[in-house]
Amino acid sequence: MQNDPNISSSFTPSPPPQTKLMPHKRLAAWYKRQMHATKIGMGCGIFIVVLSMCICTTAAVANVSPTPQTTAAVATPVPTKTSATPTPTPTPAPTPKPTPTSTPAPTPTPVPTPIPTLKPTPSSPAYTHATHGPTVLGVSVSNFFGKYGNYSNIPLNRGYTWSVDDQDGNPSQGVDASIHTDGTVYRVDVINLTDTNWSIAQSTQTCSAFLPAGSSFEEQVTDQITRYNSPAGEIQLDRMNDYGDCILQFSNTIGANN
């Protein structure tokens, strides 16, 4: 190619455009241009700054209380039941217990029932046997058994009662002989069993028939009371009522519990 004669020989070509450096490259180029002492001072300063930041961070972390974290409840998945039929577990057959052998109880020896010893029946008192003597006060009641026979009943005052009939066989009087423990008669009650009242004379005659031998009149106390003397002691006759019932007894036994 030939040169153009119109172009000046003094033409100077323009320098190529410079490429703009990246920030980190500019920082590196700037650092290289620094003096050696400046580089050492910058390194120490960076180290001190980094160390201070580490110390502050550690202190801040140590002073902050850890916040408890709330664990969210996690739903437990419910297993889905399968339709599979469970295999039945065989029930073990119970082991039969051995039947205990019963030991026969010893047969008790029968004890014979003791036969109670019968107490001898006390014999009747001697005065209940009939004797034949006067039926008066002061004698054994056995004379009354001999004259009147079996008694009708035993009155409350420990004695015996007889029913005496008249010649026609009709009840005429009741005779009640009260006795001491030895069977001696100390009182006689005569009861009128007829339909007619006895007069005072009849009542006196009926009761005085039981006076012992040797008795005598002592006094007439009232119309109803007469007293007699006897070898066995004083005797009193009491007419009790209009029927003519009377009592003949030893005076010292009146009102006494014999």
Side-chain angles (χ1 to χ4, degrees):
M1 178 177 177
Q2 295 181 358
N3 292 330
D4 186 358
N6 295 322
I7 300 174
S8 173
S9 57
S10 61
F11 172 80
T12 301
S14 59
Q18 295 182 355
T19 305
K20 189 176 181 179
L21 297 176
M22 297 299 291
H24 65 280
K25 291 182 177 182
R26 292 199 303 268
L27 181 61
W30 175 83
Y31 180 75
K32 289 179 180 181
R33 293 194 300 268
Q34 303 301 318
M35 297 180 62
H36 181 69
T38 302
K39 291 180 179 179
I40 293 175
M42 292 177 62
C44 291
I46 293 172
F47 176 77
I48 292 172
V49 171
V50 173
L51 181 61
S52 299
M53 292 177 64
C54 291
I55 293 173
C56 292
T57 302
T58 303
V61 172
N63 292 332
V64 175
S65 298
T67 303
Q69 297 180 356
T70 304
T71 303
V74 179
T76 302
V78 179
T80 305
K81 295 183 180 179
T82 60
S83 60
T85 303
T87 303
T89 303
T91 303
T95 303
K97 295 182 179 180
T99 303
T101 304
S102 59
T103 304
T107 303
T109 304
V111 179
T113 303
I115 301 175
T117 303
L118 298 178
K119 295 181 179 181
T121 303
S123 57
S124 301
Y127 56 75
T128 61
H129 300 287
T131 56
H132 301 281
T135 53
V136 295
L137 295 182
V139 300
S140 173
V141 72
S142 61
N143 290 351
F144 286 76
F145 283 109
K147 180 177 182 179
Y148 300 115
N150 293 329
Y151 56 89
S152 300
N153 64 290
I154 301 177
L156 296 178
N157 59 346
R158 195 173 63 243
Y160 299 90
T161 301
W162 292 268
S163 178
V164 181
D165 298 338
D166 58 14
Q167 296 179 353
D168 298 330
N170 298 318
S172 63
Q173 63 187 28
V175 177
D176 175 17
S178 299
I179 61 174
H180 292 300
T181 55
D182 62 353
T184 302
V185 178
Y186 68 88
R187 168 175 167 170
V188 174
D189 293 53
V190 181
I191 310 300
N192 179 9
L193 300 179
T194 66
D195 297 332
T196 305
N197 293 344
W198 290 341
S199 63
I200 295 177
Q202 289 175 310
S203 178
T204 301
Q205 181 181 0
T206 303
C207 277
S208 61
F210 296 96
L211 288 170
S215 299
S216 60
F217 174 81
E218 179 182 340
E219 64 175 328
Q220 187 71 40
V221 180
T222 65
D223 291 342
Q224 306 298 327
I225 299 175
T226 306
R227 288 177 181 164
Y228 302 88
N229 289 319
S230 75
E234 185 181 69
I235 298 173
Q236 179 170 306
L237 187 152
D238 294 274
R239 283 169 287 276
M240 306 303 298
N241 48 46
D242 294 338
Y243 296 110
D245 301 340
C246 57
I247 298 175
L248 188 72
Q249 62 182 335
F250 288 106
S251 299
N252 59 0
T253 63
I254 296 174
N257 185 11
N258 298 281

